[in-house]
């Protein structure tokens, strides 16, 4: 669609602005005369700082001496006055509204087919706070906010190098959302950046309101159980990924950044791992691997062994389980599905309800539902214990919680239907899917498959910082 240029007549231009905006109440049009030229200053209510626009724009611009014409007026403003550090020129109405809606004040004048925009943003924003979903003990307690410029400054404050490049562009036909592509030009593979740019060019959306709108465009289109791109709300984590040669995308209005590419092993790593001694960090890392397997497989193994393979249990344990399960009116698989689905409903209620109501959800679920289910014999105590351990294991790896939830139910059904054979069959299918996950030539399971010995120093174990620094690792080593 061809963009409409600004009209030279001030009255007609203002009428066109009112027509396009539908006489929206928040579009402010201030007409005045300066230097003998009729002008208008346009802005959106609530998007600009009243004090800044008064001191930097209103006072200097009204003291301009008599000018011969509008061209001389704009030349005087550009050459003699420093009204704003961010001063783009406006040539059409689409750009005018995009800048106004981003907190700019736009000056138009009689006889000019261009306008001058001044960055005087002053909309209310949430301050920098501690990340809610990526807690740490030894690291920084600053997280991304909803303002993209603030997020960019947090990254720049940690990476004071000219090698860090931030490219701003706009996507979204209706929302005109600012996106920022971040990378270290001396670390990131050039082929990766070319492919990411091509992927971003293919985004044709009316609005971008969260990272989930963009991730499908930068991921492989085939069915993937696990996402080959990651998200983080921590600037320090993002900087560590940029140093490894990855790229990141910031979205205005979203306190999360997209990391490209993402590896499976990174879901078990935290920034605190590099603050502890290597032996303790290695222990924590293996604990997370065990918790992941427990979360996915424990209910399935319990159902499969009790129903199909009781010979794997010793006599004492077998008799305890028989005694507990013979009072339950439902099958083990049905009991497990009931317990797991009840937990998912309770968790979803705790997330969506207002915080003051969250305590009531815990009381109802823990004291009433759980205790009553066991006392009534609807659910056996051993099965409820296994379910609780599986749920607790999933909380250790919060980034993989959606995948863990679905896989846990799928393995439970497979184990209840075919026993250990069903679990093994489904495990092979899941492993094939994970190993086949690949974006931009980076295998999701690297450095385990394909095996890269240099990468195992920060995967199977956590080597010392001196050793990690000396090897000069970048993600390009995993490229196939």
């Amino acid at each position: 669609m061809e963009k409409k240029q600004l009209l030279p007549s001030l009255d007609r231009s203002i009428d066109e602005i009112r027509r396009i905006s539908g006489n929206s109440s928040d579009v402010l049009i201030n007409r005045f005369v300066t230097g003998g030229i009729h002008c208008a200053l346009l802005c959106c209510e609530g998007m600009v700082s009243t004090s800044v626009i008064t001191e930097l724009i209103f006072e200097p611009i009204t003291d301009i001496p008599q000018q011969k014409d509008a061209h001389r007026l704009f030349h005087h403003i550009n050459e003699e006055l420093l009204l704003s550090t961010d001063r783009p020129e406006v040539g059409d109405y689409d750009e005018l509204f995009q800048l106004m809606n981003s907190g700019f004040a736009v000056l138009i004048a009689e006889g000019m087919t261009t306008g001058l925009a001044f960055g005087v943003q002053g909309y209310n924003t949430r301050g920098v706070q501690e990340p809610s979903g990526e807690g740490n003990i030894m690291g920084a307690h600053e997280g991304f906010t909803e303002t993209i410029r603030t997020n960019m400054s947090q990254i720049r404050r940690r990476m004071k190098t000219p090698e860090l490049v931030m490219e701003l562009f706009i996507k979204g036909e209706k929302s005109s959302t600012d996106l920022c592509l971040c990378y270290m030009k001396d670390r990131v593979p050039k082929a990766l950046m070319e492919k990411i740019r091509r992927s971003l060019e293919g985004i044709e959306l009316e609005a971008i309101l969260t990272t989930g709108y963009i991730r499908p465009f930068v991921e492989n289109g085939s069915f993937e159980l696990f996402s080959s791109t990651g998200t983080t709300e921590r600037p320090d984590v993002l900087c560590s990924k940029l140093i490894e040669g990855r790229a990141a995308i910031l979205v205005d209005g979203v306190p999360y950044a997209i990391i490209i590419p993402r590896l499976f092993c990174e879901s078990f790593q935290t920034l605190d791992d590099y603050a502890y001694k290597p032996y303790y960090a290695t222990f924590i890392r293996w604990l997370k691997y065990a918790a992941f397997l427990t979360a996915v497989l424990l209910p399935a193994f319990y159902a499969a062994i009790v129903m199909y393979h009781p010979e794997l249990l010793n006599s004492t344990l077998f008799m305890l389980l028989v005694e507990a399960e013979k009072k339950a009116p439902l099958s083990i698989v049905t009991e497990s599905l009931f317990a797991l689905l009840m937990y998912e409903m309770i968790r979803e209620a705790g997330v969506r309800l207002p915080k003051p109501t969250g305590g009531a959800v815990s009381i109802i679920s823990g004291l009433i539902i759980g205790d009553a289910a066991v006392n009534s014999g609807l659910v056996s105590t051993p099965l409820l214990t296994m379910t609780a351990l599986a749920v607790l294991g999933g909380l250790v790896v919060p980034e993989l919680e959606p995948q863990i939830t679905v896989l846990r139910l799928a393995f439970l059904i497979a184990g209840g239907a075919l026993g250990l054979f069903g679990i093994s069959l489904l495990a092979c299918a899941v492993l094939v899917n994970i190993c086949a996950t690949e974006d931009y030539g980076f295998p999701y399971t690297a450095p385990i498959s394909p095996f890269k010995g240099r990468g195992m120093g920060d995967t199977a174990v956590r080597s010392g910082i001196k050793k990690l620094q000396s090897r000069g690792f970048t993600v390009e080593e995993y490229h196939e």
Side-chain angles (χ1 to χ4, degrees):
M1 183 177 180
E2 185 178 354
K3 297 181 179 179
K4 187 173 183 180
Q5 301 298 311
L6 296 183
L7 299 173
S9 171
L10 183 63
D11 291 334
R12 291 180 59 194
S13 188
I14 290 176
D15 290 341
E16 182 67 14
I17 291 169
R18 286 174 175 161
R19 185 192 67 80
I20 295 174
S21 65
N23 283 321
S24 181
S25 301
D26 63 337
V27 176
L28 305 181
I29 302 175
N30 301 279
R31 302 189 64 157
F32 63 99
V33 178
T34 183
I37 308 298
H38 288 270
C39 303
L41 190 67
L42 316 172
C43 62
C44 280
E45 185 177 7
M47 299 296 293
V48 299
S49 170
T50 304
S51 58
V52 172
I53 199 173
T54 301
E55 295 178 8
L56 298 184
I57 307 298
F58 289 160
E59 294 181 0
I61 211 169
T62 53
D63 293 335
I64 296 176
Q66 190 76 16
Q67 299 295 320
K68 184 177 180 180
D69 53 33
H71 292 277
R72 294 291 182 91
L73 174 66
F74 274 32
H75 178 79
H76 178 82
I77 293 174
N78 282 325
E79 300 297 331
E80 304 293 335
L81 301 178
L82 185 61
L83 303 182
S84 171
T85 56
D86 194 359
R87 301 191 292 181
E89 285 196 358
V90 181
D92 56 74
Y93 290 104
D94 289 344
E95 187 179 8
L96 183 145
F97 276 96
Q98 193 274 324
L99 289 171
M100 284 175 55
N101 294 332
S102 298
F104 283 76
V106 181
L107 175 68
I108 58 176
E110 181 72 37
M112 293 295 295
T113 56
T114 60
L116 296 179
F118 310 100
V120 287
Q121 293 88 343
Y123 40 81
N124 294 325
T125 60
R126 181 173 65 93
V128 177
Q129 299 175 353
E130 183 172 0
S132 59
E134 296 180 62
N136 76 99
I137 300 174
M138 307 290 286
H141 294 267
E142 292 181 340
F144 287 130
T145 69
E146 286 74 13
T147 309
I148 192 170
R149 302 278 181 172
T150 303
N151 297 340
M152 293 168 63
S153 67
Q154 291 193 72
I155 299 173
R156 179 65 69 180
R157 185 159 54 87
R158 289 169 170 82
M159 303 294 293
K160 305 180 182 69
T161 170
E163 304 297 335
L164 174 61
V165 180
M166 299 185 184
E167 299 179 5
L168 271 173
F169 55 99
I170 298 172
K171 286 292 180 181
E173 181 182 350
K174 301 297 184 184
S175 64
S176 295
T177 305
D178 289 324
L179 304 181
C180 180
L181 182 60
C182 309
Y183 59 93
M184 299 280 288
K185 63 182 180 181
D186 63 331
R187 298 294 183 91
V188 68
K190 290 183 174 57
L192 173 62
M193 293 308 305
E194 292 175 359
K195 293 177 182 177
I196 291 176
R197 288 192 180 96
R198 285 199 297 268
S199 299
L200 294 175
E201 289 174 0
I203 296 178
E204 295 181 1
L205 298 170
E206 289 190 338
I208 298 175
L209 305 177
T210 183
T211 56
Y213 285 60
I214 300 177
R215 293 177 72 179
F217 290 91
V218 294
E219 291 181 351
N220 193 343
S222 60
F223 176 73
E224 297 176 347
L225 289 173
F226 294 83
S227 297
S228 53
T229 61
T231 59
T232 182
E233 55 180 330
R234 296 186 58 88
D236 43 12
V237 171
L238 179 59
C239 290
S240 70
K241 303 305 177 186
L242 295 179
I243 292 175
E244 293 179 356
R246 306 170 201 262
I249 302 174
L250 303 177
V251 183
D252 190 29
V254 181
Y256 289 86
I258 303 173
I259 298 174
I260 310 171
R262 180 77 169 184
L263 305 180
F264 177 73
C265 61
E266 292 174 337
S267 301
F268 305 89
Q269 301 173 359
T270 63
L271 200 66
D272 278 337
D273 291 351
Y274 305 93
Y276 297 128
K277 290 287 187 181
Y279 63 85
Y280 181 72
T282 301
F283 165 73
I284 294 296
R285 194 162 289 180
W286 278 100
L287 184 67
K288 291 177 182 178
Y289 290 133
F292 171 76
L293 295 176
T294 299
V296 173
L297 299 175
L298 186 59
F301 271 116
Y302 177 79
I305 290 175
V306 172
M307 294 176 63
Y308 297 100
H309 311 281
E311 67 276 5
L312 297 178
L313 303 173
N314 62 53
S315 57
T316 304
L317 181 57
F318 177 71
M319 293 306 298
L320 287 175
L321 295 181
V322 169
E323 184 67 24
E325 292 295 342
K326 72 178 181 180
K327 299 178 182 179
L330 305 174
S331 66
I332 293 178
V333 175
T334 305
E335 287 182 65
S336 300
L337 287 174
F338 170 77
L340 290 174
L341 292 176
M342 284 301 300
Y343 160 72
E344 293 301 327
M345 285 189 283
I346 293 168
R347 182 189 64 81
E348 192 68 15
V351 171
R352 307 302 170 192
L353 283 174
K355 290 185 178 180
T357 319
V361 174
S362 300
I363 294 173
I364 293 173
S365 59
L367 298 182
I368 300 177
I369 298 178
D371 185 65
V374 173
N375 291 336
S376 64
L378 191 63
V379 178
S380 66
T381 304
L383 185 141
L384 197 62
T385 304
M386 297 295 175
T387 302
L389 288 174
V391 169
L392 184 62
L395 298 178
V396 178
V397 195
E399 187 172 350
L400 298 180
E401 185 176 8
Q403 290 83 3
I404 289 174
T405 299
V406 175
L407 289 176
R408 183 192 293 135
L409 295 173
F411 274 104
L412 174 61
I413 295 173
L418 301 174
L420 294 180
F421 174 74
I423 295 176
S424 302
L425 195 64
L426 182 58
C428 291
V430 172
L431 285 174
V432 168
N433 184 273
I434 295 177
C435 292
T437 301
E438 176 184 307
D439 275 345
Y440 307 112
F442 294 89
Y444 182 61
T445 51
I448 300 174
S449 175
F451 183 78
K452 301 287 184 180
R454 280 167 54 86
M456 297 303 291
D458 197 24
T459 303
V461 297
R462 205 282 278 168
S463 302
I465 296 297
K466 291 182 178 179
K467 185 176 181 180
L468 291 176
Q469 182 67 25
S470 63
R471 65 193 180 105
F473 169 83
T474 62
V475 75
E476 191 172 11
E477 298 181 20
Y478 294 155
H479 189 269
E480 288 295 308

